[in-house]
């Protein structure tokens, strides 16, 4: 269906309009140029005839001038015929002789034209009428010495000029619309072909919903605009698909994580209501319920922290932080945690303190999380080492352990939310799977980077690079 607001119609319309203006302007230019050229040719012919007639020594005052003198002059200078004219006028403008049979056929120049010609300037006049063919006249002065002796009037018909111009005008009127019609049809077809990728994108967009985000547009030449548009559109779909997949996984994992402690709470509460008869048993159940409430509170707090971090609602309290002093404090905390499991904790610091611009609370939370994970997943008798290196750009914190390690497949996913290597959902050593996601966010927010190197059964090494300039100076 033709739509006046469609891009295809607008492209075709403006294309045809532009070509029409160009052809119209070109046609008018050629019409005016030809008209000027033809009229100039007539004027040159008349001027040559007038000069020729003036060159004949005439004594206009003589009464015995031959009656057919003007006809002889007209024939001599190719002005014979009914459509042309040659006449001699006296000093007062009265006709002396003429080449036409009837004096009424000779147009009489006005007194103003004669006065202008008497000043020595030949005067051109175009005359036309309903009963008279268009005629081009030249009034040329005749001199007898230094005084005006009379005038010679020569005229040529402009019918042939107008006939040529009319023919050209007819050709333009017919020749311009027909190509424009062909251009409109061709432009419509080409616009349809050129906009086919846009139509395909529109159809794909109309068919896409949350259930089929995997749909993609077929590849195109990226050297043109539509190819780049399709590439960017497919990239956008891929980002949307990834985001929706993460949202679904996030919702599923969050509901699973919260459902487990809620189920425990409900079960233990029902047991307490039905079977518990002594205070000690009731106290034990309430303590277990409190542990589950704490577990849910930590999950909800971590979820809220990550959700706020995505929209930038968590401000940073940036200040100069001494990483060396912070790691000494975290080392002491880690050593206490390690003693309970029989895991040794070591610390290696550079001789000079390392100072960075950072949020001390978030950096402490991030490093302690990694140290705790190292202790948690290292068997008794193992070791966790904390190392700080100073660099020109800031500092590098390395936490390595001799724990259970990870395979390469897990390394690519450990920073995803709710991802846990053991795949379990129990209450043992496994957490909710949000700790490393928070670690990654804190590192990225400070303009740093985190790398992991691990081998199954041999342990893991986390290497965190933090810039001294802080997050505000990072691009």
């Amino acid at each position: 269906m033709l739509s006046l607001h469609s891009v295809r119609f607008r492209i075709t319309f403006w294309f045809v309009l532009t070509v029409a203006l160009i052809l119209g302007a070109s046609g008018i230019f050629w019409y005016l140029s030809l008209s000027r050229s033809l009229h100039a040719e007539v004027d040159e012919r008349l001027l040559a005839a007038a000069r020729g007639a003036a060159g004949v020594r005439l004594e206009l005052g003589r009464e015995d001038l031959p009656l057919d003198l003007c006809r002889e002059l007209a024939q001599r200078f190719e002005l014979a015929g009914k459509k042309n004219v040659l006449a001699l006028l006296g000093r007062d403008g009265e006709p002396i002789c003429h080449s036409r049979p009837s004096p009424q056929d000779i147009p009489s120049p006005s007194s103003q034209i004669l006065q202008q010609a008497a000043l020595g300037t030949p005067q051109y006049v175009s005359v036309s009428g309903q009963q008279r063919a268009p005629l081009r006249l030249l009034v040329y002065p005749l001199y007898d010495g230094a005084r005006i002796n009379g005038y010679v009037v020569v005229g040529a018909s402009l019918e042939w000029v107008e006939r040529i111009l009319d023919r050209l005008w007819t050709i333009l009127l017919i020749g311009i619309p027909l190509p424009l019609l062909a251009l409109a049809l061709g432009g419509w077809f080409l616009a349809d072909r050129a906009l086919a990728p846009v139509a395909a994108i529109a159809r794909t967009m109309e068919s896409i919903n949350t259930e089929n985000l995997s749909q993609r547009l077929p590849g195109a030449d990226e050297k043109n605009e539509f190819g780049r548009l399709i590439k960017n559109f497919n990239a956008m779909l891929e980002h949307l698909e990834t985001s929706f997949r993460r949202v679904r996984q996030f919702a599923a994992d969050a509901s699973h994580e919260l459902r487990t402690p809620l189920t425990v709470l409900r079960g233990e509460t029902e047991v307490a209501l039905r079977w518990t008869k002594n205070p000690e048993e009731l106290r034990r159940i309430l303590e277990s319920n409190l542990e589950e409430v704490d577990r849910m509170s930590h999950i909800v707090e971590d979820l809220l922290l990550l959700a706020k971090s995505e929209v930038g609602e968590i401000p940073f309290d940036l200040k100069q932080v001494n990483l060396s002093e912070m790691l000494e404090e975290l080392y002491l905390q880690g050593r206490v945690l390690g003693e309970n499991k029989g895991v040794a904790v070591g610390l290696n610091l550079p001789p000079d303190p390392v100072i960075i611009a950072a949020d001390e609370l978030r950096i402490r939370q991030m490093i302690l999380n990694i140290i705790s994970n190292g202790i948690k997943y290292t068997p008794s008798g193992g070791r966790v080492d904390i190392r700080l290196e100073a660099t020109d750009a800031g500092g590098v914190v390395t936490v390595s352990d001799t724990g259970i390690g990870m395979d390469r497949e897990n390394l690519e996913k450990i920073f995803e939310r709710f991802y846990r290597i053991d795949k379990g959902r129990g209450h043992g050593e496994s957490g909710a799977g949000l700790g490393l996601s928070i670690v990654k966010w804190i590192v990225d927010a400070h303009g740093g980077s985190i790398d992991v190197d691990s081998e199954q059964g041999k342990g893991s090494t986390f290497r965190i690079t933090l810039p001294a300039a802080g997050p505000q100076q990072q691009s």
Side-chain angles (χ1 to χ4, degrees), residues 32 47 58 82 91 121 174 197 269 294 320 398:
L32 295 177
L47 182 60
L58 300 174
K82 296 181 179 180
R91 188 181 296 109
T121 304
I174 299 176
T269 303
D294 288 339
Q320 297 297 309
T398 304

Side-chain angles (χ1 to χ4, degrees), residues 2-65:
L2 177 62
S3 174
L4 300 182
H5 299 285
S6 67
V7 176
R8 179 169 60 174
F9 174 81
R10 292 181 180 180
I11 291 177
T12 304
F13 172 76
W14 287 111
F15 172 68
V16 173
L17 179 61
T18 302
V19 175
L21 292 176
I22 294 174
L23 291 179
S26 178
I28 293 175
F29 170 77
W30 288 113
Y31 181 89
L32 295 177
S33 297
L34 181 60
S35 175
R36 186 177 299 108
S37 177
L38 293 177
H39 282 88
E41 181 180 345
V42 172
D43 290 347
E44 291 177 0
R45 178 185 171 192
L46 293 177
L47 182 60
R51 287 176 175 173
V56 178
R57 299 184 64 86
L58 300 174
E59 296 181 12
L60 298 183
R62 290 173 50 188
E63 296 180 357
D64 58 345
L65 285 174

Side-chain angles (χ1 to χ4, degrees), residues 50 77 80 85 89 122 153 182 198 202 204 220 248 281 313 327 331 431 462:
F77 299 109
V85 64
L89 306 181
V153 179
V198 178
T204 302
R248 290 193 182 101
E281 182 68 18
E313 293 184 357
L327 287 181
Y331 157 71
F462 287 79

Side-chain angles (χ1 to χ4, degrees), residues 184-210:
L185 296 176
W188 184 266
F189 173 75
L190 293 177
D192 182 63
R193 290 291 301 274
L195 295 174
V198 178
I201 293 176
R203 289 192 297 269
T204 302
M205 293 178 67
E206 291 174 355
S207 64
I208 288 177
N209 51 47
T210 56

Side-chain angles (χ1 to χ4, degrees), residues 291-360:
E291 291 178 359
E292 296 301 329
V293 171
D294 288 339
R295 173 179 168 82
M296 287 190 296
S297 297
H298 286 305
I299 293 175
V300 171
E301 288 174 0
D302 289 344
L303 287 174
L304 183 60
L305 177 64
L306 289 172
K308 287 183 176 181
S309 69
E310 290 183 345
V311 294
E313 293 184 357
I314 301 180
F316 284 113
D317 182 16
L318 297 178
K319 58 184 178 180
Q320 297 297 309
V321 176
N322 189 327
L323 272 181
S324 301
E325 292 181 357
M326 179 186 292
L327 287 181
E328 287 182 0
E329 297 173 3
L330 294 176
Y331 157 71
L332 295 177
Q333 296 181 29
R335 192 171 67 176
V336 173
L337 295 175
E339 288 177 353
N340 296 330
K341 283 197 62 178
V343 177
V345 179
L347 177 64
N348 189 343
L349 297 176
D352 297 324
V354 177
I355 309 296
I356 65 171
D359 187 315
E360 182 177 4

Side-chain angles (χ1 to χ4, degrees), residues 251-266 292 296 299 425:
D253 289 340
S255 62
H256 191 289
E257 291 295 330
L258 293 176
R259 184 169 63 244
T260 300
L262 285 174
T263 301
V264 173
L265 278 174
R266 180 174 180 177
E292 296 301 329
M296 287 190 296
I299 293 175
R425 304 287 181 175

Side-chain angles (χ1 to χ4, degrees), residues 269-288:
T269 303
E270 289 177 350
V271 170
L273 291 174
R274 292 182 181 181
W275 306 107
T276 302
K277 298 181 179 180
N278 59 77
E280 291 298 328
E281 182 68 18
L282 182 60
R283 181 181 181 86
R284 184 189 63 78
I285 293 175
L286 290 177
E287 289 177 349
S288 176

